[in-house]
Amino acid sequence: MRGKKKTLDLMIAGVGGQGNVSASRIVGTALIEAGYKVSIGETFGMSQRGGAVVSHIRASKELPPPPLIPPMGADIVVGLEPMETLRTVLHYLTPGGTVITSVRPITPPEVNLGQAKYPKVEELLEAMRKLASKVISFDVYELAARAGSLQSANMVILGALSATGKIPCDEELLKKTIAERWPRAKEVNLKAFELGRDEALKQLKGE
Amino acid sequence: MDPLMHITYFGLGKGAMVLASGDDPQGWSSANEQDTRLHGYTLELPVLEPSNPQEAKDMTIEAFKISEELHAPVILRLVTRVCHTSADVTFGPIRKIERRPVVFSSFMDAYFKAMMAKKAPIPFLHERIHRDRMPKMREISNNFPYNRLEMDGDEKLGVISTSVCNLYVDEALSVLGLEGKVAHLKMGMSNPLPDRIIAEFVDSLDEVLVVEETEPFVEHNLKALLKDLSPGLKLYGKESGHIPLSGELNTSIVAEALAKITGKPYSRYTQEVSSLIAEYEPKITARLVTLCAGCPHRATFYAAKRALARLSGGKFIGVGDIGCYGLGASPPLMAFHHILCMGGSIGLSNGIAHTGIDVPIIAYIGDSTFFHAGIPSLIDAAYNGAKITVIVMDNGVTAMTGFQPHPATGFTATGRPAKKISIEEICRACGVEFVEVVDPYDLKGTEETILKALEFPDASVVIARRLCATEQVRRWRREGITPKPFIVDPEKCTGCKLCITTFGCPALVWDEEERKTRIDVTLCIGCGVCAQICPSNAIHSPGGD
């Protein structure tokens, strides 16, 4: 038995160093601009050192929301690394929610050392499809490289997020927030954002 | 605690003091779950517990006001979910207060006056706290605007919570459809408890659940109050098994406790999700944190292990310290065996050396930790003749906690330029006669110098100096420089995997199908250290060197 949901809940999963926290700040700032109370919680090992990092972004028109999204509570899960996306989707995605994920694995040390096996990416995506109503997937780094900088991978995924229409702030507001946050990297970041957005729109149309 | 035990007796005289202490339930980035509220109890000081960033800001102002009123420090107890949450915060008016420093003689004055009057100064000062400060603290707690009662009066069940748990309780009540049916006392000040508010709260209730992180602090103090207020009240919390005694709480844990009490159905996952978790979770591997690609610490550890292999066949006792380099204990480096606290590397090594054990002893300490807590024990080592080798992992920043400056960086925390304090000169002044500086990216040179240090008959220091890789990339980015990843020549790579199994940079990826190493261009910063390790010369720069 569950009461009525009062928050928009979005999670961004990834590996430390991928720009997950910066991406969540952009979405959070844009949602505040759009008139929401926003809270961003992070679960992390050590965020810049290759561990799993998850940001919990919660927005509400009423009171400030608690910092963590409860199990099965996320409307959208965005992932910069496919295994990390599934780790989050399994526990947090509301059945029928939306998933956007990169398909390029970042191999954990345990796997390189031969102590563990990395699952097949197709199998990870298949698991996500069992829970989500829509899974948008592509290689963020391929698009980031096309935009001119691998570091803009997090902007690619934000572009894709804006294409879903699932968050209550428009594309222009997100772009403005990005441009103001990093004025010098504006051109590359916005190009990365557009490439992610175009790719997601293409997949949403079923091309 | 030592200075605080004195300040709490003598008082502040003039001005105010607020102590912000971050507790880490679940130990997300700490090695323990310290609950500062118990220090507040010992120190007999007020403890405030904000529940979110807005309250953290607002209650800091309250804390200063209370401190001025009581002439005593006030503790602002923060938990991970308050410290590591970003949220929109509304500012109030920013007051500009004109104040100038004044001389006053409160501390010693009070001490001597009391000693002369009572011939027993300390108990007199302690008695004063109980006589004067405690009743005032209790009154402040009863009137504290963040000790909020939410009840209609016809509820039979109530919840008392503090800090971020206030929000978990709200959400759990909403999830269970119990909004408005359960009385809620949200507490922003937990030491001392607001006795009058609690009396009002429990008056009409049959049952109360206490929700707090981490120790049952409110729960215990509440029990003491209830003995007189409402001895028949049913109390649930940590000791009844409804709330766990350790670890971080969340909405689900609170919902489970409330479901158990009220009989409402609740489960975290549906059957469908539970079976998907059971099917797929075993296939997802762990992802342990590791030193970054290009991290100079990894090169230092590698060179030291090579030196130790040559000196003693790899037998040694290694002690680490608090910082990124703590990750050097994990595979494949496994560079040390013990780690305790700030400065513990040199201190523990001293003790181990004096046992007379016959293996090399190596201590790893970062530049910032060295300044903070390494110097007294280095003097101890030099003076008392502890034969240890200290490696100062000097990456030029306080990397682990967010790249703060330290006394060797040449600028202060406010960004003001300052004179640089030399680590090597400090080591020599401590009485250490072997002090050498190496560049860890020069693997061979580092290995030879560490070997010499290990062979030195007294305490020795090697300073491994190279800018933190993450900071280096940031600086490059500001200058418009992009890192140039190295390349593995697949023709030359024999698949021996030594680069991964002995060095383990995360940019070195094992290609299971090709049975060869490749380099992840999104991670490699082009430090070139792995190229010095490859026995087949298969790794080279994009320019071919």
Side-chain angles (χ1 to χ4, degrees):
Chain A
M1 180 175 203
R2 277 160 198 276
K4 199 171 158 278
K5 204 161 175 301
K6 293 172 184 165
T7 48
L8 168 89
D9 293 324
L10 159 72
M11 296 180 86
I12 305 184
V15 175
Q18 284 195 296
N20 166 330
V21 174
S22 301
S24 64
R25 291 294 175 89
I26 292 297
V27 180
T29 308
L31 286 169
I32 291 169
E33 284 284 317
Y36 284 81
K37 296 253 174 217
V38 175
S39 146
I40 307 173
E42 292 148 23
T43 58
F44 52 89
M46 274 162 266
S47 52
Q48 260 168 345
R49 288 156 196 92
V53 184
V54 187
S55 299
H56 296 231
I57 305 164
R58 313 195 72 183
S60 161
K61 280 278 185 193
E62 302 166 30
L63 295 169
L68 298 177
I69 296 171
M72 295 190 3
D75 304 297
I76 312 158
V77 172
V78 173
L80 288 154
E81 203 280 345
M83 190 169 74
E84 294 314 320
T85 311
L86 182 60
R87 202 192 296 278
T88 301
V89 163
L90 281 179
H91 289 273
Y92 289 101
L93 187 73
T94 301
T98 304
V99 174
I100 304 164
T101 186
S102 178
V103 294
R104 184 186 302 207
I106 294 182
T107 322
E110 295 87 334
V111 172
N112 284 327
L113 286 168
Q115 295 163 354
K117 271 209 169 344
Y118 194 98
K120 286 203 162 55
V121 174
E122 193 39 55
E123 195 179 6
L124 295 170
L125 292 171
E126 177 199 295
M128 293 174 206
R129 284 186 204 112
K130 285 186 180 170
L131 263 174
S133 62
K134 183 76 201 171
V135 177
I136 298 167
S137 60
F138 52 87
D139 180 350
V140 283
Y141 286 105
E142 192 193 309
L143 297 185
R146 226 191 292 161
S149 165
L150 291 171
Q151 263 135 14
S152 66
N154 54 351
M155 298 298 117
V156 174
I157 211 95
L158 285 186
L161 173 64
S162 83
T164 63
K166 300 272 181 193
I167 54 165
C169 64
D170 67 18
E171 179 201 345
E172 290 311 317
L173 184 51
L174 281 168
K175 279 158 70 174
K176 180 175 152 271
T177 313
I178 293 166
E180 283 171 5
R181 181 77 184 263
W182 299 284
R184 273 184 301 180
K186 182 178 151 185
E187 213 171 296
V188 173
N189 280 341
L190 293 183
K191 189 164 178 213
F193 184 94
E194 288 298 346
L195 287 170
R197 187 177 162 84
D198 291 348
E199 177 60 36
L201 285 173
K202 212 162 71 186
Q203 292 192 25
L204 283 164
K205 277 186 206 146
E207 280 171 31
Chain B
M1 278 299 275
D2 194 34
L4 287 174
M5 281 309 297
H6 290 284
I7 291 172
T8 193
Y9 279 21
F10 291 120
L12 293 172
K14 294 185 189 302
M17 179 189 274
V18 175
L19 304 164
S21 176
D23 289 350
D24 191 11
Q26 199 78 32
W28 286 103
S29 51
S30 323
N32 64 61
E33 296 191 314
Q34 173 184 310
D35 188 334
T36 300
R37 300 177 302 171
L38 292 152
H39 293 313
Y41 191 87
T42 309
L43 292 162
E44 294 160 316
L45 294 175
V47 177
L48 309 188
E49 298 193 60
S51 68
N52 62 23
Q54 178 75 48
E55 283 190 7
K57 190 278 274 176
D58 294 341
M59 280 165 72
T60 302
I61 299 170
E62 295 296 324
F64 275 104
K65 285 185 193 159
I66 297 170
S67 176
E68 285 198 330
E69 188 183 336
L70 296 173
H71 305 292
V74 173
I75 296 172
L76 200 62
R77 190 253 184 166
L78 307 163
V79 293
T80 310
R81 294 296 158 213
V82 174
C83 298
H84 281 275
T85 296
S86 318
D88 49 318
V89 170
T90 309
F91 286 178
I94 296 172
R95 293 186 302 155
K96 187 144 179 65
I97 303 173
E98 292 293 341
R99 277 183 187 164
R100 285 184 305 135
V102 292
V103 177
F104 66 95
S105 55
S106 166
F107 293 4
M108 294 321 286
D109 212 28
Y111 184 85
F112 285 117
K113 266 186 198 154
M115 194 162 66
M116 281 185 282
K118 301 272 177 178
K119 297 192 172 71
I122 300 305
F124 166 74
L125 293 171
H126 189 193
E127 183 199 323
R128 198 174 64 174
I129 295 175
H130 283 275
R131 192 187 60 225
D132 300 339
R133 190 198 295 159
M134 292 301 258
K136 274 192 207 161
M137 275 167 59
R138 189 77 78 182
E139 204 45 38
I140 289 168
S141 188
N142 275 317
N143 292 305
F144 193 57
Y146 296 91
N147 284 341
R148 283 159 299 182
L149 210 51
E150 291 177 1
M151 69 192 301
D152 297 327
D154 52 0
E155 302 93 343
K156 291 292 158 210
L157 170 65
V159 183
I160 299 183
S161 58
T162 73
S163 183
V164 68
C165 299
N166 294 345
L167 307 180
Y168 299 148
V169 171
D170 276 344
E171 191 167 39
L173 291 173
S174 156
V175 166
L176 294 170
L178 286 170
E179 273 174 315
K181 293 173 189 147
V182 174
H184 189 185
L185 172 54
K186 295 176 175 174
M187 288 212 303
M189 181 165 177
S190 56
N191 192 51
L193 291 185
D195 56 353
R196 283 207 311 276
I197 297 177
I198 286 173
E200 188 189 338
F201 183 67
V202 299
D203 189 46
S204 58
L205 298 175
D206 298 333
E207 303 173 295
V208 166
L209 170 71
V210 181
V211 183
E212 62 187 320
E213 292 172 327
T214 311
E215 298 295 327
F217 176 74
V218 169
E219 193 174 325
H220 282 174
N221 289 311
L222 183 66
K223 274 185 181 167
L225 282 178
L226 289 176
K227 185 177 171 295
D228 293 327
L229 286 177
S230 180
L233 187 100
K234 258 195 200 156
L235 191 65
Y236 307 109
K238 288 173 181 279
E239 291 188 335
S240 67
H242 288 76
I243 302 287
L245 275 155
S246 68
E248 184 175 65
L249 304 186
N250 55 45
T251 298
S252 307
I253 292 172
V254 180
E256 278 158 0
L258 283 165
K260 202 168 152 188
I261 295 165
T262 59
K264 285 253 177 194
Y266 174 77
S267 64
R268 290 184 189 205
Y269 304 107
T270 57
Q271 202 53 52
E272 182 205 4
V273 172
S274 289
S275 52
L276 277 176
I277 292 174
E279 182 183 352
Y280 286 99
E281 193 143 81
K283 296 178 185 170
I284 298 177
T285 65
R287 188 185 292 275
L288 293 178
V289 287
T290 177
L291 294 166
C292 306
C295 176
H297 296 335
R298 179 181 286 102
T300 305
F301 286 133
Y302 181 87
K305 285 204 76 175
R306 296 270 299 201
L308 287 159
R310 281 165 66 189
L311 180 73
S312 58
K315 275 193 191 137
F316 70 103
I317 295 175
V319 191
D321 220 301
I322 308 303
C324 298
Y325 48 97
L327 300 172
S330 57
L333 294 164
M334 294 188 280
F336 53 87
H337 313 90
H338 307 287
I339 187 164
L340 185 67
C341 61
M342 288 291 270
S345 57
I346 308 178
L348 283 179
S349 298
N350 270 321
I352 295 166
H354 290 305
T355 65
I357 198 161
D358 189 25
V359 292
I361 299 159
I362 193 160
Y364 296 100
I365 186 165
D367 40 351
S368 172
T369 306
F370 175 78
F371 280 111
H372 178 69
I375 298 165
S377 47
L378 187 61
I379 295 172
D380 189 354
Y383 192 72
N384 289 307
K387 188 183 151 11
I388 61 172
T389 296
V390 177
I391 314 286
V392 181
M393 316 285 278
D394 181 4
N395 64 354
V397 282
T398 315
M400 181 63 116
T401 50
F403 307 94
Q404 294 85 354
H406 62 61
T409 57
F411 58 100
T412 69
T414 57
R416 182 172 57 79
K419 65 177 148 198
K420 288 186 182 181
I421 311 289
S422 155
I423 296 173
E424 44 274 46
E425 280 178 35
I426 290 178
C427 293
R428 289 187 191 108
C430 287
V432 178
E433 286 161 22
F434 184 107
V435 180
E436 296 275 339
V437 181
V438 293
D439 174 4
Y441 280 3
D442 167 18
L443 272 188
K444 197 69 204 154
T446 303
E447 179 184 327
E448 292 304 328
T449 305
I450 293 177
L451 184 62
K452 266 193 255 165
L454 288 163
E455 285 169 339
F456 192 71
D458 281 312
S460 56
V461 172
V462 176
I463 300 162
R465 181 167 291 151
R466 168 63 74 160
L467 185 64
C468 161
T470 299
E471 179 64 14
Q472 180 65 73
V473 172
R474 288 173 163 201
R475 289 187 192 177
W476 281 341
R477 205 179 301 160
R478 281 200 289 271
E479 292 160 22
I481 300 170
T482 22
K484 292 181 182 57
F486 269 48
I487 296 162
V488 178
D489 181 345
E491 298 296 313
K492 286 190 187 165
C493 177
T494 61
C496 74
K497 219 179 167 180
L498 269 179
C499 54
I500 289 170
T501 56
T502 64
F503 186 61
C505 173
L508 297 165
V509 179
W510 180 244
D511 190 326
E512 192 62 48
E513 277 165 31
E514 299 290 325
R515 311 287 307 162
K516 286 177 197 300
T517 297
R518 63 178 172 78
I519 286 176
D520 185 333
V521 293
T522 69
L523 295 173
C524 179
I525 71 156
C527 74
V529 176
C530 58
Q532 299 170 47
I533 289 164
C534 177
S536 317
N537 288 321
I539 306 177
H540 58 85
S541 74
D545 320 332

